[in-house]
Amino acid sequence: MTTEAVPLIPHSVLFGNPSRLVPEISPDGTRLLYLAPEDGVLNVWVAPVDRPEEAVAVTHDRGRGIRTYGLCHDDRTLFYLRDENGDESWRVHLVDLVTGEERCATPFDGVQARVLAHNRWHPTTMLIGLNKDRPGLHDVYGLDLVTGDLTKIAENPGYLSWLIDTDLRVRGGTRMKPDGGTAVFLDPTDGPEGPDGAAPPWLDVPYEDAMGTRVTGFARDGATCYLLSSIGANACRLFEVDITTGERTLLAEDPVYDVKQVETDPLTGRPQAVLFAKDRDERVFLDEEFGKDLGRIRGELALRGIDGEIYVDRTDRSGRLWTVSVVTGAGPVLYHVYDRVAGDLRRLFSHQPELERYRLSRMEPFEFTARDGVTVHGYVTWPPGAERRGLPAVVNVHGGPWARHTFAFDEEAQLLANRGYACVQVNFRGSTGYGKHFRNLGAKQWGAAMQTDLLDALGHLVAEGGIDPDRVAIMGCSYGGYAALAGAAFTPDVFTCAIALCGPSNLLTMLAGGAPTRTPLQAFMYAHVGDPETERDMLWERSPLSRVDDIRIPVLVVQGANDVRVPRAEAEQIVEALAAKGLAHEYLLFPDEGHGLARPGNRQAYYTAVERFLAAHLA
């Protein structure tokens, strides 16, 4: 095997703070906002829209950094969300850009705030969800940006999510049914009463369609809503629905792939395009003018030799200035400002300019046939400059598991490829984007068919000659961490070593634990993972902890101490069992992290351990 020398990318470049990130135009079109580090912590910076070099930091967080923010339509109030060391008790913070005054709008211990709605028609009001009275349910509060007053608007009758129109009227919500399906209630007080004194559901969603069916928004007139639904089809389709009559108009569909995203007109609320989640995004336009604008942007990028996925953000109320993100997959994310009137596309910056000095690899799609005949998709990122023959590999499993790998810039894939490993990312059954049949094939298949899809993907690539079957690791976070532990426990002859970040080790304790905010999802979890009352034996057999005696490969277990999704006990019970058996393992606990790692120093420490661990065991 011949290998071309490729410079190693430092961990600080891949996993440290980005240079600048998530730019946004202020609603009045005069300012540019973005995230950038101040004293090593991500904060919000503001500059004149045409002079980004004059930016100043307007927040001064010294914790895990800010990642979610926005500027309100009063044109002076910045909001951002912040928790404590990963405990997901998010608080809403407000900054007055005129006076510099900062205040916490939701100063409640152990309470999670969610920003539900804010728009141009109600510039001094935000709707906030708070689980202040009942930990498992978020009531709706109105936040007056002028006075800071919080007023309860609606008490939660059991909704997972709320439906709110552009006039900030609470129109209903979605409730989980005992079988894992959902019921959508829309304007329930105006409908006929059911036998229990409550209005019947506006839409009853069967279990098999629950993940692919939801109301995505309302038109400005309030009489029309937009519905994503897989009912009566395999894949999620977009409908326009007259709320009064129930009449539906089909706007977009694909027989295999789900709608990934709906792009709507900020002024009317009407859909202008949909994206389908294929190997690469496919955009279908519903509005001719929007299509022309995207065509101009793509054409200008092509002239500059840039091929990538394009995402637009339209926060300028005038509609003139858009921020444009371009994901090439083989370089940093590129940010631009598009002027619709001038037809001009001006580059702002990339998320990490240092990456431009290095040779990166682009994710390449592949597909294979699983052992039961099901077609499964995935991506491989190959080491640059290496012959694709007999390479060591890492099966990198996504979390969720109701998510998927997409074409993107993936820091983990880049690290692995840069260090000489083929990074294999499989969208195993249960992954989203491929229609409800494929998604529901993953029901109650943790450690079973979801796991064998990973093995079959590996077998496919080994048969093609690209991967050495004797040098394969498995790693992942959350569900991916579970899959890594399952790989070590159930198929130790397949993998050389395993790395589990925030991964459940016992499905019974996982289902019994977690934050109270997960309580409304219990029926969903029982339907898709297993019911502890009726399927206890199956859940225990699918738990890596039950097969700890079979583990014969080294395992690296990593955990955030404040994780409320996969509690610390999930890591420590498998670590304790490994230690009792004298099995090779390492354990890293980060006391100031939750589900996943946010602090740059912790991220770099983790990936240093990952690289050392893989080098020791994959040679």
Side-chain angles (χ1 to χ4, degrees):
M1 180 178 72
T2 61
T3 303
E4 179 183 334
V6 174
L8 298 183
I9 307 172
H11 293 164
S12 60
V13 174
L14 282 171
F15 305 110
N17 276 319
S19 172
R20 285 173 286 192
L21 196 68
V22 198
E24 182 176 298
I25 306 294
S26 64
D28 64 6
T30 65
R31 287 171 285 194
L32 175 72
L33 298 87
Y34 56 81
L35 297 176
E38 183 192 48
D39 294 339
V41 180
L42 282 181
N43 277 282
V44 182
W45 294 62
V46 178
V49 72
D50 55 348
R51 301 188 302 278
E53 68 279 0
E54 297 180 13
V56 295
V58 295
T59 66
H60 309 284
D61 182 46
R62 291 297 177 266
R64 299 169 79 237
I66 296 170
R67 284 160 182 80
T68 301
Y69 79 95
L71 187 59
C72 297
H73 285 271
D74 64 356
D75 297 324
R76 64 182 294 170
T77 304
L78 173 84
F79 75 87
Y80 68 88
L81 299 182
R82 184 180 183 277
D83 71 349
E84 288 296 325
N85 293 325
D87 66 359
E88 299 189 25
S89 293
W90 300 103
R91 294 181 176 182
V92 178
H93 294 257
L94 306 176
V95 180
D96 188 320
L97 296 185
V98 176
T99 67
E101 178 188 358
E102 179 169 347
R103 67 184 189 273
C104 179
T106 59
F108 312 114
D109 292 338
V111 173
Q112 184 188 75
R114 298 174 179 175
V115 176
L116 301 178
H118 173 71
N119 59 42
R120 65 183 71 197
W121 300 284
H122 301 272
T124 61
T125 302
M126 295 180 72
L127 295 191
I128 306 291
L130 293 173
N131 61 339
K132 188 159 67 78
D133 296 332
R134 294 164 296 168
L137 297 173
H138 287 72
D139 301 320
V140 181
Y141 287 77
L143 171 62
D144 187 315
L145 297 176
V146 177
T147 66
D149 292 341
L150 271 173
T151 304
K152 184 184 282 191
I153 292 175
E155 188 161 307
N156 196 326
Y159 292 155
L160 291 169
S161 59
W162 292 93
L163 298 178
I164 298 169
D165 68 16
T166 61
D167 276 327
L168 302 191
R169 294 182 298 171
V170 176
R171 303 288 296 272
T174 301
R175 181 181 293 168
M176 180 67 66
K177 299 190 299 183
D179 66 353
T182 57
V184 180
F185 295 86
L186 186 54
D187 284 336
T189 57
D190 296 332
E193 290 195 350
D196 60 354
W202 177 76
L203 180 64
D204 191 75
V205 184
Y207 149 81
E208 61 268 20
D209 295 291
M211 277 192 278
T213 303
R214 65 189 183 278
V215 174
T216 65
F218 294 82
R220 180 69 185 117
D221 61 15
T224 305
C225 72
Y226 298 96
L227 175 71
L228 288 174
S229 175
S230 61
I231 298 174
N234 173 54
C236 168
R237 304 177 288 175
L238 177 64
F239 292 90
E240 180 178 85
V241 185
D242 184 307
I243 297 172
T244 302
T245 67
E247 181 182 356
R248 296 185 186 183
T249 302
L250 179 63
L251 300 181
E253 67 174 335
D254 185 277
V256 175
Y257 294 92
D258 295 315
V259 173
K260 169 186 174 181
Q261 181 181 338
V262 180
E263 296 175 304
T264 60
D265 186 321
L267 192 59
T268 67
R270 298 188 181 281
Q272 295 178 293
V274 297
L275 275 69
F276 290 100
K278 301 188 177 184
D279 291 338
R280 294 279 302 269
D281 286 348
E282 181 179 294
R283 193 180 252 109
V284 175
F285 292 101
L286 308 175
D287 180 276
E288 183 178 352
E289 290 304 313
F290 185 64
K292 289 179 180 178
D293 281 311
L294 266 292
R296 292 188 195 102
I297 292 170
R298 189 170 293 282
E300 181 58 35
L301 291 170
L303 290 175
R304 303 177 194 182
I306 300 173
D307 169 35
E309 311 290 32
I310 300 171
Y311 304 101
V312 298
D313 190 13
R314 296 177 283 173
T315 49
D316 173 13
R317 279 192 302 272
S318 73
R320 174 171 180 166
L321 299 178
W322 300 357
T323 50
V324 179
S325 307
V326 185
V327 179
T328 68
V333 180
L334 308 175
Y335 296 109
H336 302 75
V337 170
Y338 173 61
D339 187 323
R340 288 192 70 217
V341 176
D344 174 61
L345 184 69
R346 171 170 58 94
R347 174 164 170 164
L348 284 173
F349 41 72
S350 70
H351 92 275
Q352 184 56 279
E354 281 290 304
L355 283 169
E356 297 173 25
R357 299 171 46 198
Y358 297 95
R359 183 175 175 184
L360 303 178
S361 295
R362 181 177 284 199
M363 297 167 67
E364 299 180 14
F366 76 102
E367 66 176 61
F368 62 95
T369 302
R371 61 190 64 186
D372 60 355
V374 173
T375 300
V376 182
H377 296 259
Y379 299 88
V380 184
T381 305
W382 297 98
E387 181 185 356
R388 298 181 182 183
R389 179 66 52 184
L391 292 169
V394 178
V395 178
N396 190 0
V397 189
H398 71 68
W402 306 285
R404 61 161 285 178
H405 294 292
T406 59
F407 178 83
F409 175 79
D410 187 305
E411 294 95 339
E412 287 189 337
Q414 295 299 338
L415 173 72
L416 295 169
N418 182 256
R419 275 23 178 201
Y421 308 107
C423 178
V424 181
Q425 297 173 293
V426 185
N427 286 327
F428 48 84
R429 68 193 67 200
S431 300
T432 57
Y434 299 95
K436 71 183 181 186
H437 175 69
F438 184 80
R439 185 172 59 246
N440 290 322
L441 284 175
K444 301 183 180 181
Q445 293 299 311
W446 288 45
M450 292 163 73
Q451 196 76 12
T452 59
D453 282 349
L454 305 177
L455 306 180
D456 293 346
L458 185 59
H460 169 78
L461 294 170
V462 167
E464 291 191 335
I467 288 174
D468 179 353
D470 296 324
R471 293 187 296 163
V472 180
I474 183 168
M475 70 179 286
C477 177
S478 193
Y479 173 83
Y482 162 83
L485 293 174
F490 303 157
T491 54
D493 295 332
V494 174
F495 299 107
T496 309
C497 58
I499 302 169
L501 171 59
C502 300
S505 61
N506 182 341
L507 297 184
L508 291 167
T509 54
M510 179 199 75
L511 290 169
T517 52
R518 279 181 43 183
T519 303
L521 288 169
Q522 185 181 76
F524 172 87
M525 295 295 289
Y526 286 6
H528 286 271
V529 183
D531 188 332
E533 294 296 323
T534 61
E535 297 169 305
R536 189 175 187 85
D537 290 345
M538 180 271 285
L539 289 167
W540 175 240
E541 290 168 2
R542 304 274 181 86
S543 299
L545 188 62
S546 74
R547 299 271 295 276
V548 70
D549 287 348
D550 294 334
I551 295 177
R552 298 190 300 276
I553 62 175
V555 181
L556 173 60
V557 179
V558 186
Q559 182 70 31
N562 306 308
D563 193 341
V564 296
R565 303 190 199 186
V566 179
R568 176 176 174 175
E570 289 299 317
E572 298 196 336
Q573 60 190 347
I574 191 76
V575 168
E576 183 180 345
L578 290 168
K581 300 293 183 182
L583 301 173
H585 71 281
E586 298 179 36
Y587 180 41
L588 294 178
L589 178 68
F590 290 94
D592 51 1
E593 296 284 6
H595 195 65
L597 305 177
R599 295 178 186 264
N602 291 341
R603 285 163 55 83
Q604 292 177 64
Y606 167 65
Y607 288 106
T608 297
V610 166
E611 184 175 350
R612 174 188 48 76
F613 188 80
L614 292 175
H617 301 296
L618 292 189

